[in-house]
Amino acid sequence: MALILLAACGGGGGGANDLPPPPRASGPAGDYPMVLGPTYTVEGVSHTPADVMNYDAVGYAGVAADAGAGVSSSHRTLPLPSYVEVTSLDTGRTILVRVERRGPMTDARLVDLSPAAAAQLGLTGGKAPVRVRRVNPPEQERALLRMGQAAPVRMDTPQSLLGVLRRKLDGPGLPAPQPAATPVPVPTPTPSTAPVAKPAPKGKIPRVAPEAPPAVERITPPPAMPANALVVQVGAFGDRARADAVAKRSGGQVSKAGSVWRVRMGPFASQAEAQAALAKAKAAGYSEARIQRAN
């Protein structure tokens, strides 16, 4: 029996090099470790990869035909992998994309989308203006992208915000500015045609109508919430215009808190109502929404 066991152990003769490679990490472990890499140069411009949590930029997206299956994207500096929301500045459509590779290797584009990502965004070819914003999606959506499937489409961005974002575009591919219209000269009235003011009679001081006070913009504060009421805070923003846009999309209210503008939904009478509103906010793409007590 001992000889048989020894023979079985000694057979094969391959060693460690004959072992199959370890299986690829699945589940949440598939997103780690995140890779940055060294500084590199594209078209004479240096790019240093960095883990920027609040990355938010506008530019142009192209389509990488060789990117393979799945809803993915390239980026020159974000960690690999990471997750971004890509918004078409033409239509307002917003999708969730997994950043998996470096590129584009041209400064004319901000990202290159895989064919599946381009199809979900509605990009048919060439390049299109987009907004790219880094997000922290829930694990269920991460899992879909890791498996090559598409995550649910986000709420469309309103036209008012798209106009602001389009004005921030400043790079290759922009249409040439139109020349300014040549001003038409205005003839100067001759002394013979100029009106002559009549002097006021002696002893009488002409009355001058008082100027109306300048109009003051009144900001209506949101209705006061009961103490300790439950609310869902969708997000806090340093820009009032962005907070207003999010409030319009989520049905929330904007309130000032220090140097930021908060967007909150509610108040809610019970924990169950607050949980339902929280689920709605997260499903709309606001992954950092949370339940709070009103204060």
Side-chain angles (χ1 to χ4, degrees), residues 265-281:
M265 303 165 61
F268 303 101
S270 66
Q271 185 74 23
E273 292 180 1
Q275 288 288 354
L278 177 64
K280 180 180 177 181

PDB file of all heavy atoms in Angstrom, residues 265-281:
ATOM      1  N   MET A 265     -35.918  65.329   1.169  1.00  0.00           N
ATOM      2  CA  MET A 265     -37.293  64.901   0.906  1.00  0.00           C
ATOM      3  C   MET A 265     -37.988  64.671   2.242  1.00  0.00           C
ATOM      4  O   MET A 265     -37.387  64.152   3.179  1.00  0.00           O
ATOM      5  CB  MET A 265     -37.297  63.610   0.079  1.00  0.00           C
ATOM      6  CG  MET A 265     -36.558  63.720  -1.244  1.00  0.00           C
ATOM      7  SD  MET A 265     -36.193  62.101  -1.995  1.00  0.00           S
ATOM      8  CE  MET A 265     -37.853  61.455  -2.221  1.00  0.00           C
ATOM      9  N   GLY A 266     -39.253  65.008   2.324  1.00  0.00           N
ATOM     10  CA  GLY A 266     -39.987  64.800   3.559  1.00  0.00           C
ATOM     11  C   GLY A 266     -40.656  66.068   4.030  1.00  0.00           C
ATOM     12  O   GLY A 266     -40.795  67.034   3.275  1.00  0.00           O
ATOM     13  N   PRO A 267     -41.098  66.119   5.306  1.00  0.00           N
ATOM     14  CA  PRO A 267     -40.875  65.113   6.366  1.00  0.00           C
ATOM     15  C   PRO A 267     -41.793  63.902   6.236  1.00  0.00           C
ATOM     16  O   PRO A 267     -42.826  63.969   5.578  1.00  0.00           O
ATOM     17  CB  PRO A 267     -41.182  65.899   7.639  1.00  0.00           C
ATOM     18  CG  PRO A 267     -42.197  66.906   7.194  1.00  0.00           C
ATOM     19  CD  PRO A 267     -41.826  67.295   5.803  1.00  0.00           C
ATOM     20  N   PHE A 268     -41.421  62.803   6.915  1.00  0.00           N
ATOM     21  CA  PHE A 268     -42.174  61.568   6.897  1.00  0.00           C
ATOM     22  C   PHE A 268     -42.618  61.214   8.310  1.00  0.00           C
ATOM     23  O   PHE A 268     -41.878  61.398   9.282  1.00  0.00           O
ATOM     24  CB  PHE A 268     -41.328  60.435   6.301  1.00  0.00           C
ATOM     25  CG  PHE A 268     -40.839  60.735   4.911  1.00  0.00           C
ATOM     26  CD1 PHE A 268     -39.543  61.152   4.695  1.00  0.00           C
ATOM     27  CD2 PHE A 268     -41.688  60.629   3.821  1.00  0.00           C
ATOM     28  CE1 PHE A 268     -39.087  61.439   3.422  1.00  0.00           C
ATOM     29  CE2 PHE A 268     -41.251  60.923   2.538  1.00  0.00           C
ATOM     30  CZ  PHE A 268     -39.948  61.324   2.343  1.00  0.00           C
ATOM     31  N   ALA A 269     -43.810  60.686   8.398  1.00  0.00           N
ATOM     32  CA  ALA A 269     -44.391  60.388   9.709  1.00  0.00           C
ATOM     33  C   ALA A 269     -43.864  59.100  10.307  1.00  0.00           C
ATOM     34  O   ALA A 269     -43.935  58.895  11.514  1.00  0.00           O
ATOM     35  CB  ALA A 269     -45.919  60.333   9.604  1.00  0.00           C
ATOM     36  N   SER A 270     -43.338  58.188   9.477  1.00  0.00           N
ATOM     37  CA  SER A 270     -42.891  56.895   9.986  1.00  0.00           C
ATOM     38  C   SER A 270     -41.596  56.480   9.325  1.00  0.00           C
ATOM     39  O   SER A 270     -41.229  56.993   8.254  1.00  0.00           O
ATOM     40  CB  SER A 270     -43.958  55.817   9.738  1.00  0.00           C
ATOM     41  OG  SER A 270     -44.119  55.584   8.352  1.00  0.00           O
ATOM     42  N   GLN A 271     -40.910  55.522   9.949  1.00  0.00           N
ATOM     43  CA  GLN A 271     -39.670  54.991   9.403  1.00  0.00           C
ATOM     44  C   GLN A 271     -39.921  54.289   8.075  1.00  0.00           C
ATOM     45  O   GLN A 271     -39.084  54.347   7.164  1.00  0.00           O
ATOM     46  CB  GLN A 271     -39.037  54.018  10.407  1.00  0.00           C
ATOM     47  CG  GLN A 271     -37.679  53.487   9.994  1.00  0.00           C
ATOM     48  CD  GLN A 271     -36.579  54.525  10.130  1.00  0.00           C
ATOM     49  OE1 GLN A 271     -36.725  55.468  10.896  1.00  0.00           O
ATOM     50  NE2 GLN A 271     -35.476  54.360   9.420  1.00  0.00           N
ATOM     51  N   ALA A 272     -41.080  53.637   7.954  1.00  0.00           N
ATOM     52  CA  ALA A 272     -41.389  52.911   6.713  1.00  0.00           C
ATOM     53  C   ALA A 272     -41.508  53.882   5.538  1.00  0.00           C
ATOM     54  O   ALA A 272     -41.020  53.612   4.438  1.00  0.00           O
ATOM     55  CB  ALA A 272     -42.689  52.126   6.881  1.00  0.00           C
ATOM     56  N   GLU A 273     -42.161  55.026   5.755  1.00  0.00           N
ATOM     57  CA  GLU A 273     -42.275  56.016   4.681  1.00  0.00           C
ATOM     58  C   GLU A 273     -40.900  56.562   4.303  1.00  0.00           C
ATOM     59  O   GLU A 273     -40.601  56.766   3.122  1.00  0.00           O
ATOM     60  CB  GLU A 273     -43.193  57.160   5.119  1.00  0.00           C
ATOM     61  CG  GLU A 273     -44.651  56.757   5.285  1.00  0.00           C
ATOM     62  CD  GLU A 273     -45.503  57.936   5.723  1.00  0.00           C
ATOM     63  OE1 GLU A 273     -44.946  59.048   5.876  1.00  0.00           O
ATOM     64  OE2 GLU A 273     -46.728  57.760   5.914  1.00  0.00           O
ATOM     65  N   ALA A 274     -40.070  56.818   5.305  1.00  0.00           N
ATOM     66  CA  ALA A 274     -38.728  57.324   5.021  1.00  0.00           C
ATOM     67  C   ALA A 274     -37.893  56.291   4.261  1.00  0.00           C
ATOM     68  O   ALA A 274     -37.151  56.636   3.338  1.00  0.00           O
ATOM     69  CB  ALA A 274     -38.037  57.718   6.327  1.00  0.00           C
ATOM     70  N   GLN A 275     -38.014  55.016   4.634  1.00  0.00           N
ATOM     71  CA  GLN A 275     -37.273  53.966   3.937  1.00  0.00           C
ATOM     72  C   GLN A 275     -37.717  53.857   2.482  1.00  0.00           C
ATOM     73  O   GLN A 275     -36.896  53.645   1.582  1.00  0.00           O
ATOM     74  CB  GLN A 275     -37.480  52.620   4.652  1.00  0.00           C
ATOM     75  CG  GLN A 275     -36.768  52.499   5.989  1.00  0.00           C
ATOM     76  CD  GLN A 275     -35.260  52.369   5.835  1.00  0.00           C
ATOM     77  OE1 GLN A 275     -34.739  52.251   4.733  1.00  0.00           O
ATOM     78  NE2 GLN A 275     -34.547  52.392   6.958  1.00  0.00           N
ATOM     79  N   ALA A 276     -39.023  54.014   2.227  1.00  0.00           N
ATOM     80  CA  ALA A 276     -39.510  53.952   0.850  1.00  0.00           C
ATOM     81  C   ALA A 276     -38.962  55.113   0.027  1.00  0.00           C
ATOM     82  O   ALA A 276     -38.562  54.942  -1.131  1.00  0.00           O
ATOM     83  CB  ALA A 276     -41.040  53.973   0.848  1.00  0.00           C
ATOM     84  N   ALA A 277     -38.912  56.311   0.621  1.00  0.00           N
ATOM     85  CA  ALA A 277     -38.348  57.460  -0.088  1.00  0.00           C
ATOM     86  C   ALA A 277     -36.853  57.286  -0.322  1.00  0.00           C
ATOM     87  O   ALA A 277     -36.322  57.678  -1.368  1.00  0.00           O
ATOM     88  CB  ALA A 277     -38.622  58.737   0.706  1.00  0.00           C
ATOM     89  N   LEU A 278     -36.150  56.701   0.666  1.00  0.00           N
ATOM     90  CA  LEU A 278     -34.714  56.457   0.505  1.00  0.00           C
ATOM     91  C   LEU A 278     -34.454  55.488  -0.644  1.00  0.00           C
ATOM     92  O   LEU A 278     -33.547  55.688  -1.458  1.00  0.00           O
ATOM     93  CB  LEU A 278     -34.142  55.891   1.808  1.00  0.00           C
ATOM     94  CG  LEU A 278     -32.654  55.519   1.769  1.00  0.00           C
ATOM     95  CD1 LEU A 278     -31.791  56.750   1.539  1.00  0.00           C
ATOM     96  CD2 LEU A 278     -32.253  54.845   3.082  1.00  0.00           C
ATOM     97  N   ALA A 279     -35.268  54.436  -0.732  1.00  0.00           N
ATOM     98  CA  ALA A 279     -35.102  53.471  -1.825  1.00  0.00           C
ATOM     99  C   ALA A 279     -35.346  54.135  -3.174  1.00  0.00           C
ATOM    100  O   ALA A 279     -34.640  53.865  -4.153  1.00  0.00           O
ATOM    101  CB  ALA A 279     -36.062  52.300  -1.629  1.00  0.00           C
ATOM    102  N   LYS A 280     -36.324  55.029  -3.233  1.00  0.00           N
ATOM    103  CA  LYS A 280     -36.601  55.746  -4.483  1.00  0.00           C
ATOM    104  C   LYS A 280     -35.429  56.631  -4.879  1.00  0.00           C
ATOM    105  O   LYS A 280     -35.048  56.691  -6.046  1.00  0.00           O
ATOM    106  CB  LYS A 280     -37.870  56.574  -4.307  1.00  0.00           C
ATOM    107  CG  LYS A 280     -38.264  57.367  -5.542  1.00  0.00           C
ATOM    108  CD  LYS A 280     -39.524  58.169  -5.294  1.00  0.00           C
ATOM    109  CE  LYS A 280     -39.897  59.018  -6.501  1.00  0.00           C
ATOM    110  NZ  LYS A 280     -41.116  59.830  -6.264  1.00  0.00           N
ATOM    111  N   ALA A 281     -34.842  57.323  -3.905  1.00  0.00           N
ATOM    112  CA  ALA A 281     -33.703  58.202  -4.201  1.00  0.00           C
ATOM    113  C   ALA A 281     -32.506  57.400  -4.686  1.00  0.00           C
ATOM    114  O   ALA A 281     -31.821  57.794  -5.634  1.00  0.00           O
ATOM    115  CB  ALA A 281     -33.340  59.018  -2.964  1.00  0.00           C
TER     116      ALA A 281
END
